[in-house]
Structures are given as C-alpha cells and as structure tokens.
Amino acid sequence: GDSVTQMEGPVTLSEEAFLTINCTYTATGYPSLFWYVQYPGEGLQLLLKATKADDKGSNKGFEATYRKETTSFHLEKGSVQVSDSAVYFCALSDTGGSYIPTFGRGTSLIVHP
Amino acid sequence: DAGVIQSPRHEVTEMGQEVTLRCKPISGHNSLFWYRQTMMRGLELLIYFNNNVPIDDSGMPEDRFSAKMPNASFSTLKIQPSEPRDSAVYFCASTPKGGQSTDTQYFGPGTRLTVL
C-alpha cells in the first residue's frame, strides 16, 4: 500500500538557518504530493503541492521538488523565521488505488531567535 | 469565504457519556473527511463521505463511533459511550471535488476532546 516516511523531529534551528525536512514515499500509481503545515492550536493547511514528476511546488519561501527517481519530496527553505515554527506533514494522494490522502507522522520545527 | 467550521472547539466529558462533534464543510465541496490526531498514532482517517454518502469507514475504531452526513452542509461524529482513550483532537476536512488525487484538503480548526 501507499506510505509516507518523514524524518523525525523536532528539528531545532536558529533564525535565518537553512531548512530541509526529508520525505520519501511509496505508491502504486502516479501520486500527487503535498506539504501541509499545522500551527499550534490550528488545523492543517496546504503549504505547497506538486502533481507530476519534476514539478516544483513553492509558497512562502518554501520549495519541494517531486523526484520520481528517488521517490522523494523534500521540503526546503533558505532562511527560516521564528514564525515558521510549526509541524510539517508530507502527504500523497494516489491514482493507483484509493485517492484518499496518506499522511506522514509530521515533523516539528522549532526556530529560535 | 468561511472555511470549514467545527464545533465545539473544546469538549470535556466523563467516561460513558455521549459526545457529538459537528462539522460544516466549505460550501460547494463534495467530499468530507473525519480525522483523529494523537501524539501516539499521528493523524488517522476515520471516515470519508462523497456527496453525502459514506465511502470508506474502515478507520472507525469500533461500534462506539458513528458518523452521519444528512446534507451537503453538515456532518456529525458521535461517540457513545465515550472512553478516556478517545481523548484526541478530531478534525474535519473537505475537498472541492472528491475522487481526484490532485485535490487539496481544507481542514477545520479541530475539536479537542478530553474524556475523564
């Protein structure tokens, strides 16, 4: 079946540091890939997505590239801010079976001033 | 536009009591999902509706849980009787079309349930 594996957190960084959160997946079809962000006390919200291989999703300085050859969708940001502190979820939705999303366990990011 | 609306935001109840969580999806969205989030198990899908019809309820933990969607603008998740292990944050999410892998999920703010 489909699965998503994220690096375990928490990830702790200083402001303006470079961020990478790794995400790899397994899927039977041709999935769309997503990053969602959850701020404290809130629901998840879409950060970015990519729907086919080699697509790059970007939003608010965050980027992720759909790499089919390595089955990866790593999240990056060049310079994090304290306001980026949140939990980040990688997810996929597959065409090969159920299109119900599969979520990773989430990675907590803590950014210190 | 209003997002997904959930009520109540917080619920504290005693073991054995009935709990009803409510959700209003975004107007025009065809699909609705109920999730449960805990530290131990992460985000779990409980049930999924498309056009008000339950499509997949394989994630519903046991017979104590039930969900309904009587119309396109309202859904409930009921737990009867509640147990302490049901304590979690329950999210409702909706998607515009349903049945498409490119769909974005729009989440509500969640209901934090505590069963004493």
Side-chain angles (χ1 to χ4, degrees), chain A residues 30-76:
Chain A
Y30 302 93
S32 295
L33 302 175
F34 305 79
W35 277 102
Y36 288 84
V37 58
Q38 184 180 28
Y39 298 103
E42 298 183 10
L44 283 70
Q45 58 185 270
L46 179 71
L47 180 60
L48 55 84
K49 70 179 183 182
T51 58
K52 62 183 187 294
D54 300 325
D55 270 2
K56 177 185 285 187
S58 61
N59 185 25
K60 299 180 181 180
F62 291 89
E63 293 183 341
T65 301
Y66 188 157
R67 301 286 188 199
K68 187 176 179 181
E69 63 276 14
T70 54
T71 62
S72 65
F73 193 55
H74 303 323
L75 183 67
E76 296 182 336

Side-chain angles (χ1 to χ4, degrees), chain A residues 92-112:
Chain A
L92 71 83
S93 184
D94 200 359
T95 60
S98 167
Y99 48 85
I100 296 172
T102 299
F103 285 86
R105 291 297 306 268
T107 302
S108 175
L109 170 66
I110 301 169
V111 181
H112 294 293

Side-chain angles (χ1 to χ4, degrees), chain A residues 7-15 17-21 80 85-86 107-113:
Chain A
M7 58 190 294
E8 290 194 16
V11 174
T12 304
L13 296 173
S14 298
E15 205 166 23
F18 184 85
L19 168 71
T20 300
I21 300 178
V80 294
S85 298
T107 302
S108 175
L109 170 66
I110 301 169
V111 181
H112 294 293

